mmCIF file of all heavy atoms in Angstrom:
data_model
loop_
_atom_site.group_PDB
_atom_site.id
_atom_site.type_symbol
_atom_site.label_atom_id
_atom_site.label_comp_id
_atom_site.label_asym_id
_atom_site.label_seq_id
_atom_site.Cartn_x
_atom_site.Cartn_y
_atom_site.Cartn_z
ATOM 1 N N PRO V 1 14.712 20.912 -217.454
ATOM 2 C CA PRO V 1 15.238 21.153 -216.108
ATOM 3 C C PRO V 1 14.224 20.760 -215.041
ATOM 4 O O PRO V 1 13.061 21.161 -215.093
ATOM 5 C CB PRO V 1 15.499 22.663 -216.099
ATOM 6 C CG PRO V 1 15.703 23.022 -217.525
ATOM 7 C CD PRO V 1 14.797 22.112 -218.304
ATOM 8 N N GLY V 2 14.667 19.936 -214.105
ATOM 9 C CA GLY V 2 13.815 19.538 -213.000
ATOM 10 C C GLY V 2 12.769 18.499 -213.343
ATOM 11 O O GLY V 2 11.920 18.175 -212.505
ATOM 12 N N LYS V 3 12.831 17.971 -214.547
ATOM 13 C CA LYS V 3 11.826 16.984 -214.966
ATOM 14 C C LYS V 3 12.496 15.681 -215.389
ATOM 15 O O LYS V 3 13.694 15.639 -215.668
ATOM 16 C CB LYS V 3 10.981 17.538 -216.114
ATOM 17 C CG LYS V 3 10.138 18.735 -215.739
ATOM 18 C CD LYS V 3 9.216 19.127 -216.868
ATOM 19 C CE LYS V 3 8.317 20.287 -216.469
ATOM 20 N NZ LYS V 3 7.392 20.673 -217.577
ATOM 21 N N GLU V 4 11.700 14.635 -215.442
ATOM 22 C CA GLU V 4 12.220 13.353 -215.889
ATOM 23 C C GLU V 4 12.338 13.325 -217.417
ATOM 24 O O GLU V 4 11.686 14.088 -218.123
ATOM 25 C CB GLU V 4 11.296 12.227 -215.418
ATOM 26 C CG GLU V 4 11.274 12.063 -213.909
ATOM 27 C CD GLU V 4 10.513 10.830 -213.482
ATOM 28 O OE1 GLU V 4 9.932 10.151 -214.337
ATOM 29 O OE2 GLU V 4 10.501 10.545 -212.263
ATOM 30 N N ARG V 5 13.171 12.409 -217.862
ATOM 31 C CA ARG V 5 13.311 12.230 -219.306
ATOM 32 C C ARG V 5 11.982 11.806 -219.928
ATOM 33 O O ARG V 5 11.253 10.998 -219.355
ATOM 34 C CB ARG V 5 14.385 11.176 -219.576
ATOM 35 C CG ARG V 5 14.674 10.902 -221.021
ATOM 36 C CD ARG V 5 15.890 10.021 -221.171
ATOM 37 N NE ARG V 5 15.826 8.863 -220.299
ATOM 38 C CZ ARG V 5 16.855 8.067 -220.050
ATOM 39 N NH1 ARG V 5 18.026 8.305 -220.603
ATOM 40 N NH2 ARG V 5 16.706 7.023 -219.247
ATOM 41 N N GLU V 6 11.715 12.343 -221.084
ATOM 42 C CA GLU V 6 10.424 12.117 -221.747
ATOM 43 C C GLU V 6 10.657 11.658 -223.174
ATOM 44 O O GLU V 6 11.482 12.236 -223.890
ATOM 45 C CB GLU V 6 9.623 13.430 -221.760
ATOM 46 C CG GLU V 6 8.346 13.384 -222.558
ATOM 47 C CD GLU V 6 7.714 14.754 -222.737
ATOM 48 O OE1 GLU V 6 8.423 15.761 -222.560
ATOM 49 O OE2 GLU V 6 6.523 14.813 -223.059
ATOM 50 N N GLY V 7 9.939 10.625 -223.586
ATOM 51 C CA GLY V 7 9.999 10.201 -224.970
ATOM 52 C C GLY V 7 9.227 11.159 -225.842
ATOM 53 O O GLY V 7 8.112 11.543 -225.496
ATOM 54 N N VAL V 8 9.817 11.552 -226.954
ATOM 55 C CA VAL V 8 9.213 12.550 -227.838
ATOM 56 C C VAL V 8 8.694 11.910 -229.121
ATOM 57 O O VAL V 8 7.525 12.060 -229.462
ATOM 58 C CB VAL V 8 10.226 13.659 -228.171
ATOM 59 C CG1 VAL V 8 9.631 14.667 -229.156
ATOM 60 C CG2 VAL V 8 10.684 14.362 -226.902
ATOM 61 N N SER V 9 9.589 11.233 -229.831
ATOM 62 C CA SER V 9 9.212 10.685 -231.136
ATOM 63 C C SER V 9 9.989 9.404 -231.386
ATOM 64 O O SER V 9 11.124 9.261 -230.930
ATOM 65 C CB SER V 9 9.517 11.690 -232.253
ATOM 66 O OG SER V 9 8.800 12.888 -232.078
ATOM 67 N N TYR V 10 9.358 8.519 -232.162
ATOM 68 C CA TYR V 10 9.939 7.195 -232.415
ATOM 69 C C TYR V 10 9.779 6.852 -233.891
ATOM 70 O O TYR V 10 8.781 7.229 -234.517
ATOM 71 C CB TYR V 10 9.221 6.129 -231.582
ATOM 72 C CG TYR V 10 8.938 6.552 -230.168
ATOM 73 C CD1 TYR V 10 7.729 7.145 -229.841
ATOM 74 C CD2 TYR V 10 9.884 6.372 -229.165
ATOM 75 C CE1 TYR V 10 7.462 7.553 -228.547
ATOM 76 C CE2 TYR V 10 9.628 6.775 -227.860
ATOM 77 C CZ TYR V 10 8.406 7.365 -227.562
ATOM 78 O OH TYR V 10 8.159 7.769 -226.270
ATOM 79 N N ILE V 11 10.760 6.099 -234.416
ATOM 80 C CA ILE V 11 10.675 5.711 -235.817
ATOM 81 C C ILE V 11 11.267 4.324 -235.994
ATOM 82 O O ILE V 11 12.274 3.970 -235.381
ATOM 83 C CB ILE V 11 11.392 6.757 -236.710
ATOM 84 C CG1 ILE V 11 11.123 6.500 -238.189
ATOM 85 C CG2 ILE V 11 12.897 6.801 -236.425
ATOM 86 C CD1 ILE V 11 11.486 7.684 -239.074
ATOM 87 N N SER V 12 10.620 3.537 -236.830
ATOM 88 C CA SER V 12 11.072 2.176 -237.087
ATOM 89 C C SER V 12 12.248 2.171 -238.039
ATOM 90 O O SER V 12 12.617 3.201 -238.612
ATOM 91 C CB SER V 12 9.918 1.355 -237.683
ATOM 92 O OG SER V 12 9.529 1.920 -238.923
ATOM 93 N N ARG V 13 12.812 1.000 -238.225
ATOM 94 C CA ARG V 13 13.974 0.856 -239.117
ATOM 95 C C ARG V 13 13.690 1.394 -240.509
ATOM 96 O O ARG V 13 14.522 2.059 -241.122
ATOM 97 C CB ARG V 13 14.370 -0.620 -239.216
ATOM 98 C CG ARG V 13 15.089 -1.175 -238.023
ATOM 99 C CD ARG V 13 15.348 -2.663 -238.201
ATOM 100 N NE ARG V 13 16.057 -2.953 -239.439
ATOM 101 C CZ ARG V 13 16.338 -4.180 -239.854
ATOM 102 N NH1 ARG V 13 15.955 -5.235 -239.128
ATOM 103 N NH2 ARG V 13 16.989 -4.389 -240.979
ATOM 104 N N SER V 14 12.527 1.061 -241.004
ATOM 105 C CA SER V 14 12.184 1.437 -242.379
ATOM 106 C C SER V 14 11.791 2.895 -242.502
ATOM 107 O O SER V 14 11.825 3.448 -243.600
ATOM 108 C CB SER V 14 11.036 0.564 -242.865
ATOM 109 O OG SER V 14 9.863 0.856 -242.113
ATOM 110 N N GLY V 15 11.377 3.475 -241.379
ATOM 111 C CA GLY V 15 10.847 4.829 -241.434
ATOM 112 C C GLY V 15 9.361 4.884 -241.712
ATOM 113 O O GLY V 15 8.755 5.958 -241.665
ATOM 114 N N MET V 16 8.760 3.730 -241.975
ATOM 115 C CA MET V 16 7.336 3.709 -242.338
ATOM 116 C C MET V 16 6.446 3.884 -241.107
ATOM 117 O O MET V 16 5.305 4.320 -241.217
ATOM 118 C CB MET V 16 7.015 2.391 -243.041
ATOM 119 C CG MET V 16 7.690 2.255 -244.390
ATOM 120 S SD MET V 16 7.142 3.500 -245.561
ATOM 121 C CE MET V 16 5.444 3.004 -245.793
ATOM 122 N N ASN V 17 6.941 3.498 -239.948
ATOM 123 C CA ASN V 17 6.153 3.601 -238.720
ATOM 124 C C ASN V 17 6.770 4.614 -237.776
ATOM 125 O O ASN V 17 7.967 4.540 -237.468
ATOM 126 C CB ASN V 17 6.074 2.238 -238.032
ATOM 127 C CG ASN V 17 5.300 1.238 -238.871
ATOM 128 O OD1 ASN V 17 4.279 1.574 -239.466
ATOM 129 N ND2 ASN V 17 5.781 0.025 -238.941
ATOM 130 N N THR V 18 5.946 5.565 -237.370
ATOM 131 C CA THR V 18 6.394 6.600 -236.445
ATOM 132 C C THR V 18 5.324 6.858 -235.401
ATOM 133 O O THR V 18 4.152 6.500 -235.583
ATOM 134 C CB THR V 18 6.689 7.930 -237.167
ATOM 135 O OG1 THR V 18 5.470 8.425 -237.762
ATOM 136 C CG2 THR V 18 7.728 7.759 -238.267
ATOM 137 N N GLU V 19 5.755 7.471 -234.322
ATOM 138 C CA GLU V 19 4.809 7.863 -233.278
ATOM 139 C C GLU V 19 5.374 9.077 -232.556
ATOM 140 O O GLU V 19 6.592 9.204 -232.420
ATOM 141 C CB GLU V 19 4.577 6.725 -232.289
ATOM 142 C CG GLU V 19 3.515 7.033 -231.243
ATOM 143 C CD GLU V 19 3.220 5.836 -230.364
ATOM 144 O OE1 GLU V 19 2.558 4.914 -230.837
ATOM 145 O OE2 GLU V 19 3.691 5.842 -229.198
ATOM 146 N N HIS V 20 4.461 9.942 -232.129
ATOM 147 C CA HIS V 20 4.880 11.126 -231.406
ATOM 148 C C HIS V 20 4.117 11.220 -230.092
ATOM 149 O O HIS V 20 2.942 10.836 -230.018
ATOM 150 C CB HIS V 20 4.631 12.378 -232.240
ATOM 151 C CG HIS V 20 5.352 12.373 -233.548
ATOM 152 N ND1 HIS V 20 6.645 12.779 -233.684
ATOM 153 C CD2 HIS V 20 4.959 11.971 -234.781
ATOM 154 C CE1 HIS V 20 7.028 12.647 -234.949
ATOM 155 N NE2 HIS V 20 6.012 12.146 -235.630
ATOM 156 N N ALA V 21 4.761 11.753 -229.077
ATOM 157 C CA ALA V 21 4.093 11.974 -227.808
ATOM 158 C C ALA V 21 2.937 12.959 -228.003
ATOM 159 O O ALA V 21 2.992 13.824 -228.886
ATOM 160 C CB ALA V 21 5.079 12.520 -226.785
ATOM 161 N N ASP V 22 1.924 12.827 -227.179
ATOM 162 C CA ASP V 22 0.760 13.716 -227.295
ATOM 163 C C ASP V 22 1.160 15.181 -227.186
ATOM 164 O O ASP V 22 0.561 16.042 -227.826
ATOM 165 C CB ASP V 22 -0.262 13.371 -226.211
ATOM 166 C CG ASP V 22 -0.969 12.056 -226.478
ATOM 167 O OD1 ASP V 22 -0.923 11.562 -227.629
ATOM 168 O OD2 ASP V 22 -1.565 11.503 -225.537
ATOM 169 N N SER V 23 2.180 15.455 -226.391
ATOM 170 C CA SER V 23 2.593 16.838 -226.153
ATOM 171 C C SER V 23 3.178 17.500 -227.399
ATOM 172 O O SER V 23 3.246 18.736 -227.465
ATOM 173 C CB SER V 23 3.613 16.892 -225.017
ATOM 174 O OG SER V 23 4.737 16.071 -225.314
ATOM 175 N N VAL V 24 3.590 16.704 -228.377
ATOM 176 C CA VAL V 24 4.214 17.283 -229.578
ATOM 177 C C VAL V 24 3.491 16.883 -230.860
ATOM 178 O O VAL V 24 3.860 17.332 -231.950
ATOM 179 C CB VAL V 24 5.699 16.873 -229.689
ATOM 180 C CG1 VAL V 24 6.450 17.246 -228.417
ATOM 181 C CG2 VAL V 24 5.858 15.395 -230.009
ATOM 182 N N LYS V 25 2.457 16.084 -230.728
ATOM 183 C CA LYS V 25 1.751 15.588 -231.910
ATOM 184 C C LYS V 25 1.190 16.747 -232.714
ATOM 185 O O LYS V 25 0.608 17.686 -232.170
ATOM 186 C CB LYS V 25 0.635 14.645 -231.461
ATOM 187 C CG LYS V 25 0.113 13.723 -232.538
ATOM 188 C CD LYS V 25 -0.778 12.654 -231.941
ATOM 189 C CE LYS V 25 -0.012 11.700 -231.048
ATOM 190 N NZ LYS V 25 -0.872 10.619 -230.496
ATOM 191 N N GLY V 26 1.394 16.684 -234.015
ATOM 192 C CA GLY V 26 0.929 17.750 -234.892
ATOM 193 C C GLY V 26 1.926 18.880 -235.051
ATOM 194 O O GLY V 26 1.758 19.734 -235.929
ATOM 195 N N ARG V 27 2.954 18.891 -234.205
ATOM 196 C CA ARG V 27 3.975 19.946 -234.289
ATOM 197 C C ARG V 27 5.351 19.396 -234.661
ATOM 198 O O ARG V 27 6.124 20.080 -235.339
ATOM 199 C CB ARG V 27 4.070 20.691 -232.952
ATOM 200 C CG ARG V 27 2.794 21.339 -232.502
ATOM 201 C CD ARG V 27 2.997 22.187 -231.258
ATOM 202 N NE ARG V 27 3.430 21.402 -230.108
ATOM 203 C CZ ARG V 27 4.570 21.606 -229.453
ATOM 204 N NH1 ARG V 27 5.397 22.555 -229.838
ATOM 205 N NH2 ARG V 27 4.882 20.855 -228.401
ATOM 206 N N PHE V 28 5.655 18.190 -234.210
ATOM 207 C CA PHE V 28 6.955 17.575 -234.464
ATOM 208 C C PHE V 28 6.796 16.441 -235.471
ATOM 209 O O PHE V 28 5.782 15.736 -235.480
ATOM 210 C CB PHE V 28 7.552 17.001 -233.180
ATOM 211 C CG PHE V 28 8.016 18.001 -232.164
ATOM 212 C CD1 PHE V 28 7.671 19.343 -232.264
ATOM 213 C CD2 PHE V 28 8.809 17.598 -231.103
ATOM 214 C CE1 PHE V 28 8.101 20.266 -231.324
ATOM 215 C CE2 PHE V 28 9.251 18.501 -230.152
ATOM 216 C CZ PHE V 28 8.887 19.838 -230.261
ATOM 217 N N THR V 29 7.838 16.254 -236.281
ATOM 218 C CA THR V 29 7.857 15.146 -237.239
ATOM 219 C C THR V 29 9.229 14.494 -237.220
ATOM 220 O O THR V 29 10.250 15.174 -237.402
ATOM 221 C CB THR V 29 7.553 15.631 -238.662
ATOM 222 O OG1 THR V 29 6.279 16.279 -238.679
ATOM 223 C CG2 THR V 29 7.539 14.457 -239.637
ATOM 224 N N ILE V 30 9.245 13.197 -237.017
ATOM 225 C CA ILE V 30 10.495 12.447 -237.068
ATOM 226 C C ILE V 30 10.615 11.799 -238.439
ATOM 227 O O ILE V 30 9.629 11.342 -239.018
ATOM 228 C CB ILE V 30 10.555 11.386 -235.942
ATOM 229 C CG1 ILE V 30 11.946 10.744 -235.875
ATOM 230 C CG2 ILE V 30 9.466 10.332 -236.097
ATOM 231 C CD1 ILE V 30 12.138 9.841 -234.652
ATOM 232 N N SER V 31 11.830 11.784 -238.964
ATOM 233 C CA SER V 31 12.080 11.145 -240.250
ATOM 234 C C SER V 31 13.523 10.640 -240.262
ATOM 235 O O SER V 31 14.304 10.956 -239.368
ATOM 236 C CB SER V 31 11.845 12.128 -241.405
ATOM 237 O OG SER V 31 12.749 13.221 -241.324
ATOM 238 N N ARG V 32 13.839 9.880 -241.281
ATOM 239 C CA ARG V 32 15.197 9.351 -241.365
ATOM 240 C C ARG V 32 15.631 9.227 -242.813
ATOM 241 O O ARG V 32 14.811 9.007 -243.702
ATOM 242 C CB ARG V 32 15.309 8.006 -240.649
ATOM 243 C CG ARG V 32 14.471 6.887 -241.240
ATOM 244 C CD ARG V 32 14.418 5.689 -240.298
ATOM 245 N NE ARG V 32 15.735 5.115 -240.087
ATOM 246 C CZ ARG V 32 16.031 4.311 -239.067
ATOM 247 N NH1 ARG V 32 15.101 3.996 -238.163
ATOM 248 N NH2 ARG V 32 17.249 3.801 -238.947
ATOM 249 N N ASP V 33 16.945 9.353 -242.999
ATOM 250 C CA ASP V 33 17.555 9.128 -244.298
ATOM 251 C C ASP V 33 18.633 8.072 -244.071
ATOM 252 O O ASP V 33 19.758 8.407 -243.679
ATOM 253 C CB ASP V 33 18.151 10.432 -244.843
ATOM 254 C CG ASP V 33 18.698 10.286 -246.245
ATOM 255 O OD1 ASP V 33 18.998 9.144 -246.665
ATOM 256 O OD2 ASP V 33 18.833 11.309 -246.928
ATOM 257 N N ASN V 34 18.282 6.829 -244.280
ATOM 258 C CA ASN V 34 19.215 5.742 -243.982
ATOM 259 C C ASN V 34 20.464 5.803 -244.862
ATOM 260 O O ASN V 34 21.546 5.400 -244.433
ATOM 261 C CB ASN V 34 18.520 4.393 -244.123
ATOM 262 C CG ASN V 34 17.575 4.113 -242.967
ATOM 263 O OD1 ASN V 34 17.722 4.656 -241.866
ATOM 264 N ND2 ASN V 34 16.582 3.273 -243.215
ATOM 265 N N ALA V 35 20.307 6.308 -246.067
ATOM 266 C CA ALA V 35 21.464 6.407 -246.959
ATOM 267 C C ALA V 35 22.506 7.380 -246.416
ATOM 268 O O ALA V 35 23.706 7.232 -246.665
ATOM 269 C CB ALA V 35 21.022 6.837 -248.343
ATOM 270 N N LYS V 36 22.039 8.364 -245.652
ATOM 271 C CA LYS V 36 22.932 9.356 -245.064
ATOM 272 C C LYS V 36 23.186 9.101 -243.587
ATOM 273 O O LYS V 36 23.812 9.922 -242.902
ATOM 274 C CB LYS V 36 22.362 10.762 -245.260
ATOM 275 C CG LYS V 36 22.269 11.182 -246.717
ATOM 276 C CD LYS V 36 21.758 12.608 -246.843
ATOM 277 C CE LYS V 36 21.718 13.043 -248.312
ATOM 278 N NZ LYS V 36 21.210 14.427 -248.473
ATOM 279 N N ASN V 37 22.654 7.980 -243.090
ATOM 280 C CA ASN V 37 22.849 7.621 -241.674
ATOM 281 C C ASN V 37 22.437 8.751 -240.730
ATOM 282 O O ASN V 37 23.131 9.042 -239.739
ATOM 283 C CB ASN V 37 24.302 7.220 -241.407
ATOM 284 C CG ASN V 37 24.654 5.903 -242.060
ATOM 285 O OD1 ASN V 37 23.840 4.976 -242.108
ATOM 286 N ND2 ASN V 37 25.863 5.815 -242.591
ATOM 287 N N THR V 38 21.306 9.358 -241.029
ATOM 288 C CA THR V 38 20.867 10.510 -240.249
ATOM 289 C C THR V 38 19.367 10.415 -239.966
ATOM 290 O O THR V 38 18.594 10.003 -240.839
ATOM 291 C CB THR V 38 21.173 11.818 -240.983
ATOM 292 O OG1 THR V 38 22.573 11.878 -241.282
ATOM 293 C CG2 THR V 38 20.817 13.026 -240.119
ATOM 294 N N VAL V 39 19.001 10.818 -238.766
ATOM 295 C CA VAL V 39 17.603 10.908 -238.369
ATOM 296 C C VAL V 39 17.323 12.366 -238.021
ATOM 297 O O VAL V 39 18.187 13.054 -237.463
ATOM 298 C CB VAL V 39 17.305 9.993 -237.179
ATOM 299 C CG1 VAL V 39 15.861 10.131 -236.725
ATOM 300 C CG2 VAL V 39 17.603 8.540 -237.548
ATOM 301 N N PHE V 40 16.118 12.808 -238.335
ATOM 302 C CA PHE V 40 15.762 14.206 -238.148
ATOM 303 C C PHE V 40 14.554 14.336 -237.219
ATOM 304 O O PHE V 40 13.725 13.440 -237.119
ATOM 305 C CB PHE V 40 15.426 14.851 -239.486
ATOM 306 C CG PHE V 40 16.505 14.728 -240.505
ATOM 307 C CD1 PHE V 40 16.462 13.737 -241.470
ATOM 308 C CD2 PHE V 40 17.584 15.601 -240.507
ATOM 309 C CE1 PHE V 40 17.473 13.613 -242.424
ATOM 310 C CE2 PHE V 40 18.591 15.486 -241.446
ATOM 311 C CZ PHE V 40 18.531 14.492 -242.410
ATOM 312 N N LEU V 41 14.478 15.498 -236.577
ATOM 313 C CA LEU V 41 13.282 15.857 -235.832
ATOM 314 C C LEU V 41 12.941 17.293 -236.207
ATOM 315 O O LEU V 41 13.642 18.233 -235.809
ATOM 316 C CB LEU V 41 13.502 15.738 -234.326
ATOM 317 C CG LEU V 41 12.255 16.003 -233.482
ATOM 318 C CD1 LEU V 41 11.209 14.902 -233.730
ATOM 319 C CD2 LEU V 41 12.591 16.070 -231.994
ATOM 320 N N GLN V 42 11.902 17.435 -237.011
ATOM 321 C CA GLN V 42 11.423 18.756 -237.395
ATOM 322 C C GLN V 42 10.463 19.231 -236.329
ATOM 323 O O GLN V 42 9.458 18.568 -236.053
ATOM 324 C CB GLN V 42 10.723 18.698 -238.755
ATOM 325 C CG GLN V 42 10.156 20.030 -239.211
ATOM 326 C CD GLN V 42 11.232 21.056 -239.499
ATOM 327 O OE1 GLN V 42 12.232 20.749 -240.132
ATOM 328 N NE2 GLN V 42 11.019 22.285 -239.049
ATOM 329 N N MET V 43 10.761 20.375 -235.752
ATOM 330 C CA MET V 43 9.960 20.902 -234.649
ATOM 331 C C MET V 43 9.379 22.245 -235.066
ATOM 332 O O MET V 43 10.135 23.198 -235.297
ATOM 333 C CB MET V 43 10.819 21.052 -233.390
ATOM 334 C CG MET V 43 11.554 19.778 -232.991
ATOM 335 S SD MET V 43 12.400 19.913 -231.413
ATOM 336 C CE MET V 43 13.574 21.200 -231.771
ATOM 337 N N ASN V 44 8.074 22.303 -235.159
ATOM 338 C CA ASN V 44 7.379 23.531 -235.536
ATOM 339 C C ASN V 44 6.504 24.009 -234.389
ATOM 340 O O ASN V 44 6.223 23.260 -233.456
ATOM 341 C CB ASN V 44 6.513 23.284 -236.774
ATOM 342 C CG ASN V 44 7.324 22.869 -237.983
ATOM 343 O OD1 ASN V 44 8.468 23.285 -238.158
ATOM 344 N ND2 ASN V 44 6.741 22.030 -238.831
ATOM 345 N N SER V 45 6.075 25.253 -234.476
ATOM 346 C CA SER V 45 5.190 25.838 -233.456
ATOM 347 C C SER V 45 5.716 25.584 -232.059
ATOM 348 O O SER V 45 4.985 25.143 -231.161
ATOM 349 C CB SER V 45 3.775 25.257 -233.605
ATOM 350 O OG SER V 45 3.267 25.503 -234.900
ATOM 351 N N LEU V 46 6.975 25.873 -231.873
ATOM 352 C CA LEU V 46 7.617 25.572 -230.600
ATOM 353 C C LEU V 46 7.046 26.411 -229.466
ATOM 354 O O LEU V 46 6.633 27.574 -229.667
ATOM 355 C CB LEU V 46 9.125 25.795 -230.708
ATOM 356 C CG LEU V 46 9.867 24.668 -231.442
ATOM 357 C CD1 LEU V 46 11.237 25.116 -231.918
ATOM 358 C CD2 LEU V 46 9.987 23.448 -230.539
ATOM 359 N N LYS V 47 7.008 25.794 -228.300
ATOM 360 C CA LYS V 47 6.466 26.425 -227.100
ATOM 361 C C LYS V 47 7.547 26.453 -226.014
ATOM 362 O O LYS V 47 8.468 25.635 -226.036
ATOM 363 C CB LYS V 47 5.280 25.608 -226.586
ATOM 364 C CG LYS V 47 4.184 25.382 -227.594
ATOM 365 C CD LYS V 47 3.112 24.455 -227.024
ATOM 366 C CE LYS V 47 2.000 24.204 -228.017
ATOM 367 N NZ LYS V 47 0.944 23.309 -227.461
ATOM 368 N N PRO V 48 7.432 27.330 -225.055
ATOM 369 C CA PRO V 48 8.414 27.355 -223.962
ATOM 370 C C PRO V 48 8.552 26.008 -223.257
ATOM 371 O O PRO V 48 9.658 25.656 -222.818
ATOM 372 C CB PRO V 48 7.850 28.426 -223.019
ATOM 373 C CG PRO V 48 7.106 29.350 -223.924
ATOM 374 C CD PRO V 48 6.490 28.459 -224.968
#
């Protein structure tokens, strides 16, 4: 709310290359299951 859109996590087609914003690094993990046509974002140690 009241803020601009922010990139959080990115993943390549293969899933081998990923990157996370500094604000979530070490807490969030992006992954994908291409066979299930689904991408995930695991978010741990969440903050307000």
Side-chain angles (χ1 to χ4, degrees):
K3 295 187 177 180
E4 294 188 355
R5 181 171 49 193
E6 173 190 19
V8 177
S9 299
Y10 317 93
I11 189 165
S12 62
R13 284 176 55 184
S14 66
M16 293 297 293
N17 294 319
T18 63
E19 185 175 286
H20 301 275
D22 288 343
S23 57
V24 305
K25 199 169 293 182
R27 301 186 297 120
F28 290 13
T29 302
I30 188 171
S31 62
R32 63 192 297 162
D33 185 339
N34 286 336
K36 296 183 178 179
N37 291 322
T38 304
V39 178
F40 305 98
L41 184 66
Q42 178 66 44
M43 306 187 297
N44 298 328
S45 302
L46 283 162
K47 304 175 180 180

